[in-house]
């Protein structure tokens, strides 16, 4: 069949005779001569034919693609049409094309297809698919096109450039009508091998990724842009208490509570474009309580460069974040004190000082009612000057119309608190309600209680230089507790300084003394520097911390020379100081961190908090964070050493309760930290050795150090192992023993080796005394003796076992393949019993031996070594031959039967 086919989905058959062919040719030629087209009536009139015959012929030509029809109004107009036969474009297509007839026989195949299968056209044309050579064609299932127009094939087709040999194809089936009206199928074949392999590789890569991240200690999770979780690792599941199936499909945002949820949403929203990776710290509620994680979110894009998924990696930063938060709290407290100190310095009267003192305490303790009193040193009476509630309302005006309430701060009453000295020194102490009644009076106190309710009252005297200036009371709800007591007391002390400054408007020297006192009681070093750079004042904390006095550092130049011995560091510090000084405003704090040298030569990390005072002087507060940094560094170092140690490191109380359990302990004993922390250490002691625990703890309590104590312990699985134990007492700052540190080495292998050596020695002594050769040899074809007793050496005629070891065993067999036959039988049966073989001695003489051997095999099925016994039976064989010879001689000389 000549392939002149057109794509058509009309399978109708139009039988033709010569007359019909002539009529159709006339219609075709007529339309070619009228490119503008003709209607059915015009064609019928021109050719003298009936309209129904013309209509039928036009439908036939239209199906063949020889004519085209257009509807113009209510008329159908036909035009001549020329289409290129499919056979003409087969070999111009880069796609693989195969044409079949209705019986499934191959009609045509284009060059790309023939090239791919490595066949010629003649090898396949005219054959059914299953008859075509090679694996490709039989794999194609034509069937009913309506049942499946597309078929996926997997064919094993090994090629030189593709050793794997498996190819994947996608076959699209298209029905066709040929020019002679015959029907068939066109198969468009696409090679999708790379696509399928890429998909499989992607699935494998995903599985490998999950295998890698599953046991990491960081939390790892993946989720869709809408928050749906697609994967979480083991650490994530343990922290949030579900298995992988329960997490799948859950929403990641549900694991964050407000406001952390909004912060996490913002981070996810920011993770795109140039910021495809973002890192932020979030606090998340877990089964272990609230934990802080440094979350790194990465956007994963699809082939259209749209975000398909997000990956999150969370590292537990709770300890370092807590340390950072603590440092920030200290920094905030220093900033608060410095800011309030500046405010106090700007006050001009006593009323402003009371107002700032009340607002400052309320800023520290928002839920407190603040009561402030002034003291008249003349009549020794206290006067309530302000009662400020939580909302900032002055209740003194409401309750007493602004009139101050006077009372006597009787020392006898205050001493009943048991904390009179603390109160005198400006420290807060609890004042019971019954004592308040005695101090203030029943009427006044009842009116106050009616307004603010019953509260816990913390009160102190505002004192300066042993002079009472006033009193302050912080009234909290009964269920509340006073936090930041030290900060409140320090702030009241600064307020006392402000009061004193107000008092010394008549005496500048007294003001200076009082200011010196507040700085001297400060827990931090303080200095005052003049606008010219001269050091005016150093408190005792400064001198004790740095060792320098005013004689050592009269000015800033000397300070820089002493504190910064490195010229580059000194220049950098000077430039920063001068730059901050030029751009600072009065009352503005300019915190900087430097590493400075003390007078004793030691370096300390100091945070400087300088503030410019109204007179241009610099008030500098110094915060030493060396111990914090060093403690953090040491703690992290020790934690990493313990975590990465191959040995078990166990922390216990002095009673034997387990507090820490490192990965080395997990490896040796089989228990996880969650299984043992909080339990008694006796869970790893074998029952017969339980008394060891009391003996060890007693020695530790006595301060003794136990080193390399070899004993036995029991694993979780019940197996008893040999261990070497080193136990040390742990001391606190007061040199009190608070626990024990135990380092455990697993010496099971060492002990097993020792026991093996002892047994081997006894074995050698035993076998060396028996009258047969005992040996161990390698299992290779040549063979070497690993060990042998002295009788083996005598049997083979050598001077020493070392001489025997130098000779390949295969050379000792008289028979050429003797060694091979022995090895083959051992491989087959695993042993050889009483096998008689002839061996050559060192002098070349031959001996008869009886060999029994047992093979030991490796995991790969090869012989690792051979244990055997060799018995010299040469004399037995000689005697046997002589006996046989004598027997033959006797039979020959016997008389014949009578």
């Amino acid at each position: 069949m000549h392939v002149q086919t057109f794509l058509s989905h009309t399978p109708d058959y139009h039988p033709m005779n010569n007359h019909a062919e002539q009529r159709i040719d006339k219609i075709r030629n007529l339309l070619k001569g009228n490119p503008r087209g003709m209607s059915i009536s015009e064609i019928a009139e021109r050719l003298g034919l009936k309209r129904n015959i013309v209509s039928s012929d036009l439908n036939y030509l239209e199906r063949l693609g020889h004519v085209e029809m257009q509807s113009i109004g209510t008329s159908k107009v036909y035009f001549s049409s020329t289409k290129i036969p499919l056979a003409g474009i087969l070999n111009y297509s880069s796609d693989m094309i195969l044409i079949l007839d209705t019986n499934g026989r191959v009609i045509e195949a284009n060059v790309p297809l023939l090239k791919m299968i490595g066949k010629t056209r003649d090898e396949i044309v005219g054959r059914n698919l299953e008859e075509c050579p090679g694996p490709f064609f039989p794999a194609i299932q034509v069937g009913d096109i309506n049942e499946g127009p597309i078929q996926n094939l997997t064919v094993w087709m090994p090629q030189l450039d593709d050793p794997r040999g498996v190819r994947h194809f996608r076959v699209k089936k298209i029905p066709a009508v040929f020019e002679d009206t015959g029907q068939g199928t066109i198969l468009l074949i696409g090679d999708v091998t790379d696509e399928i392999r890429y998909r499989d590789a992607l699935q494998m890569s995903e599985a490998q990724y999950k295998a890698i991240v599953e046991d990491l200690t960081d939390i790892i999770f993946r989720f869709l842009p809408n928050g749906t979780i697609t994967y979480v690792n083991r650490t994530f599941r343990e922290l949030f208490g579900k298995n992988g199936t329960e997490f799948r499909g859950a929403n990641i945002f549900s694991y964050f509570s407000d406001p952390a949820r909004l912060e996490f949403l913002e981070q996810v929203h920011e993770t795109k474009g140039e910021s495809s990776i973002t890192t932020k710290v979030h606090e998340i509620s877990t089964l272990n309580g609230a934990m802080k994680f440094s979350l790194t979110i990465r956007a994963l894009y699809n082939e259209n460069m749209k975000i398909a998924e997000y990956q999150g990696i969370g590292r537990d930063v709770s300890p370092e974040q807590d340390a950072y938060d603590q440092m920030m709290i200290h920094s905030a407290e220093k900033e608060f004190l410095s800011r309030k100190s500046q405010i106090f310095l700007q006050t001009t009267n006593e009323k402003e000082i009371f107002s700032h003192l009340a607002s400052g305490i309320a800023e520290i303790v928002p839920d407190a009612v603040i009561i402030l009193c002034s003291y008249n040193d003349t009549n020794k009476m206290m006067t309530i000057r302000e009662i400020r509630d939580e909302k900032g309302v002055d209740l003194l005006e409401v309750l007493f119309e602004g009139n101050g309430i006077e009372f006597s701060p009787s020392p006898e009453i205050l001493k009943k608190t048991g904390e009179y000295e603390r109160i005198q020194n400006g420290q807060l102490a609890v004042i019971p309600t019954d004592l308040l009644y005695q101090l203030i009076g029943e009427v006044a106190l009842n009116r106050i209680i009616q307004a603010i309710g019953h509260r816990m009252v913390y009160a102190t005297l505002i004192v300066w230089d042993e002079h009472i200036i006033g009193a302050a009371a912080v009234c909290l709800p009964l269920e509340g507790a006073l936090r930041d007591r030290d900060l409140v007391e320090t702030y009241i002390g600064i307020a006392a300084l402000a009061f004193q400054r107000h008092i010394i408007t008549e005496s500048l020297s007294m003001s200076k003394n009082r200011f010196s006192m507040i700085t001297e009681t400060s827990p931090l070093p303080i200095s005052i520097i003049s606008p010219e750079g001269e050091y005016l004042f150093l408190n005792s904390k400064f001198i004790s911390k740095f060792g320098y006095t005013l004689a050592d550092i009269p000015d800033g130049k000397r300070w820089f020379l002493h504190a910064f011995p490195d010229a580059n560091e000194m220049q950098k510090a000077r430039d920063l100081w001068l730059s901050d000084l030029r751009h600072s405003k009065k009352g503005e704090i300019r915190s900087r961190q430097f590493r400075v040298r003390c007078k004793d030569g030691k370096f300390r990390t100091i945070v400087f908090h300088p503030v410019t005072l109204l007179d241009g002087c610099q008030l500098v507060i110094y915060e030493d964070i060396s111990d914090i940094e060093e403690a953090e560094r040491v703690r992290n170092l020790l934690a990493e050493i313990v975590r990465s140690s191959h040995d078990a490191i166990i922390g216990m109380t002095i009673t034997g309760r387990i507090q820490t359990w490192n990965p080395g302990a997990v490896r040796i004993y089989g228990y996880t930290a969650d299984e043992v922390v909080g339990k008694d250490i006796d869970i790893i002691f074998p029952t017969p050795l339980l008394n060891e625990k009391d003996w060890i703890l007693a020695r530790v309590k006595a301060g003794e150090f136990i080193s390399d104590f070899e004993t036995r312990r029991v694993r979780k699985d019940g197996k008893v192992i040999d261990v070497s134990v080193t136990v040390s007492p742990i001391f606190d700052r007061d040199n009190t023993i608070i626990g024990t540190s135990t380092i455990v080495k697993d010496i099971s292998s060492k002990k097993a080796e020792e026991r093996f050596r002892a047994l081997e020695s006894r074995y050698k002594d035993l076998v060396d005394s028996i009258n047969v050769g005992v040996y161990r040899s390698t299992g290779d074809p040549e063979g070497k003796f690993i060990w042998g007793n002295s009788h083996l050496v005598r049997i083979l005629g050598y001077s020493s076992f070392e001489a025997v070891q130098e000779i390949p065993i295969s050379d000792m067999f008289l028979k050429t393949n003797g060694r091979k036959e022995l090895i083959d039988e051992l491989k087959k049966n695993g042993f050889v019993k009483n096998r008689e073989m002839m061996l050559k001695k060192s002098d070349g003489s031959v001996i008869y031996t009886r060999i029994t051997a047992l093979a030991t095999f490796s995991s790969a099925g090869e012989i690792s070594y051979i244990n055997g016994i060799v018995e010299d039976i040469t004399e037995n064989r000689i005697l046997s031959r002589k006996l046989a010879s004598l027997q033959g001689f006797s039979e020959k000389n016997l008389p014949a039967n009578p």
Side-chain angles (χ1 to χ4, degrees), residues 89-96 110 112-113 189:
I89 64 172
L90 275 178
N91 294 329
Y92 293 96
S93 173
S94 60
D95 295 329
M96 295 182 286
N110 70 342
L113 176 60
I189 303 168

Side-chain angles (χ1 to χ4, degrees), residues 589-636:
I589 300 172
R590 314 178 303 276
S591 298
R592 291 281 188 182
Q593 180 176 315
F594 296 102
R595 186 169 178 266
V596 302
R597 182 178 66 178
C598 301
K599 191 172 183 179
D600 60 5
K602 295 181 180 178
F603 284 86
R604 306 194 73 83
T605 302
I606 306 294
V607 178
F608 291 63
H609 301 286
V611 61
T612 303
L613 304 180
L614 291 176
D615 58 359
C617 291
Q618 299 295 315
L619 171 67
V620 186
I621 300 175
Y622 306 83
E623 181 184 2
D624 184 359
I625 63 171
S626 304
D627 294 340
I628 297 175
E629 284 190 337
E630 180 64 18
E632 182 67 19
R633 187 187 70 80
V634 171
R635 184 167 65 251
N636 291 338

Side-chain angles (χ1 to χ4, degrees), residues 735-751:
N735 208 33
T736 301
I737 298 174
I738 59 173
T740 69
S741 172
T742 303
I743 300 175
V744 181
K745 296 179 181 292
D746 185 353
I747 59 171
S748 298
S749 298
K750 172 188 170 184
K751 287 295 185 180

Side-chain angles (χ1 to χ4, degrees), residues 430-566:
V430 176
I431 309 296
T433 303
D434 58 337
L435 296 184
L436 290 174
Y437 275 112
Q438 297 179 42
L439 284 169
I440 300 175
E442 183 176 350
V443 176
L445 185 59
N446 282 337
R447 294 177 69 178
I448 295 173
I449 292 175
Q450 187 176 2
I452 68 174
H454 287 280
R455 289 180 173 250
M456 182 74 71
V457 178
Y458 296 84
T460 186
L461 295 175
I462 304 174
V463 295
W464 182 260
D465 196 20
E466 298 183 358
H467 289 84
I468 299 175
I469 299 174
V474 181
C475 308
L476 292 171
L478 293 177
E479 67 276 6
L482 179 58
R483 299 184 301 273
D484 302 316
R485 177 184 294 205
D486 292 342
L487 183 60
V488 174
E489 292 173 349
T490 302
Y491 181 62
I492 292 174
I494 294 176
L497 174 62
F499 279 117
Q500 184 62 17
R501 179 176 173 272
H502 174 69
I503 294 172
I504 61 168
T505 52
E506 299 176 356
S507 174
L508 183 61
S509 63
M510 185 178 293
S511 175
K512 182 178 179 180
N513 291 337
R514 289 173 179 172
F515 182 79
S516 297
M517 182 177 180
I518 196 68
T519 56
E520 283 300 319
T521 58
S522 170
L524 300 175
I526 296 176
S527 70
I528 299 177
I529 308 170
S530 72
E532 294 77 24
E534 296 180 357
Y535 278 81
L536 304 177
F537 172 77
L538 304 175
N539 70 346
S540 58
K541 195 68 176 179
F542 183 100
I543 296 172
S544 64
K545 176 66 68 177
F546 299 110
Y548 302 119
T549 64
L550 284 175
D552 299 316
I553 50 171
D555 51 39
K557 182 178 180 180
R558 298 291 180 87
W559 161 253
F560 281 108
L561 286 172
H562 286 297
F564 301 94
D566 182 83

Side-chain angles (χ1 to χ4, degrees), residues 244-308:
T245 304
E246 292 173 324
F247 279 108
R248 194 172 297 118
N251 195 290
I252 189 63
F253 303 117
S254 65
Y255 293 95
F256 293 80
S257 57
D258 292 330
R261 181 184 293 111
L262 294 177
E263 295 172 355
F264 182 65
L265 282 168
E266 290 176 1
Q267 181 181 358
V268 172
H269 181 70
E270 294 169 0
T271 308
K272 59 184 177 180
E274 295 181 357
S275 301
S276 292
I277 301 177
T278 60
T279 300
K280 289 187 178 180
V281 175
H282 300 278
E283 184 172 294
I284 309 175
S285 296
T286 70
L287 293 179
N288 299 333
M291 299 176 65
K292 294 176 182 176
F293 290 91
S294 174
L295 289 184
T296 298
I297 304 299
R298 178 191 292 270
L300 306 177
Y301 294 86
N302 59 20
E303 62 274 8
N304 299 321
M305 294 308 294
K306 292 185 178 180
I307 297 177

Side-chain angles (χ1 to χ4, degrees), residues 25-227:
D25 286 341
K26 289 179 180 180
I27 294 173
R28 187 186 294 117
N29 293 332
L30 181 61
L31 288 175
K32 288 181 180 178
N34 291 273
R36 293 186 178 181
M38 299 179 70
S39 67
I40 296 175
S41 298
E42 289 174 338
I43 296 171
E45 183 180 351
R46 290 281 295 272
L47 297 178
L49 300 172
K50 293 181 179 180
R51 289 185 79 259
N52 62 333
I53 294 176
V54 173
S55 176
S56 176
D57 290 343
L58 286 172
N59 287 335
Y60 173 71
L61 290 172
E62 185 180 3
R63 289 196 299 271
L64 292 179
H66 292 183
V67 299
E68 295 180 5
M69 186 273 289
Q70 292 185 7
S71 296
I72 302 176
T74 58
S75 300
K76 295 181 179 179
V77 179
Y78 290 85
F79 302 85
S80 177
S81 174
T82 302
K83 293 186 177 180
I84 301 173
L86 183 60
I89 64 172
L90 275 178
N91 294 329
Y92 293 96
S93 173
S94 60
D95 295 329
M96 295 182 286
I97 301 174
L98 182 67
I99 303 175
L100 308 175
D101 63 12
T102 54
N103 296 319
R105 288 193 299 272
V106 177
I107 298 175
E108 191 60 82
N110 70 342
V111 173
L113 176 60
L114 295 173
K115 183 178 179 181
M116 187 275 294
I117 63 176
K119 305 296 180 183
T120 64
R121 181 177 178 276
D122 294 338
E123 290 181 275
I124 63 173
V125 170
R127 298 187 180 187
N128 289 326
L129 290 176
E130 60 271 14
E131 296 173 350
C132 293
F136 177 75
F137 294 104
I140 300 175
Q141 301 294 326
V142 178
D144 187 350
I145 292 176
N146 295 324
E147 293 178 359
I150 296 179
Q151 178 186 359
N152 293 316
L153 300 180
T154 300
V155 185
W156 184 69
M157 298 178 63
Q159 297 179 1
L160 290 176
D161 60 346
D162 186 5
R164 290 181 291 182
V166 176
R167 303 282 292 275
H168 302 272
F169 302 93
R170 185 169 288 123
V171 181
K172 184 175 183 181
K173 310 168 191 175
I174 301 174
V177 177
F178 303 112
E179 189 173 6
D180 58 1
T181 72
Q183 301 181 48
T185 304
I186 298 174
L187 304 182
L188 301 180
I189 303 168
D191 188 344
V192 294
T193 301
D194 291 341
E195 177 185 336
I196 298 299
R197 288 179 181 174
Y198 175 78
R199 181 199 66 192
D200 294 344
L202 188 62
Q203 292 174 349
M204 178 65 73
S205 176
E206 180 73 8
Q208 291 173 344
Y209 161 82
K210 290 181 179 179
I212 292 171
V213 305
E214 177 65 15
D215 294 325
L216 295 181
T217 55
D218 295 338
I219 63 171
I220 299 178
F221 55 95
R222 287 166 63 174
F223 58 95
L224 301 178
N226 64 1

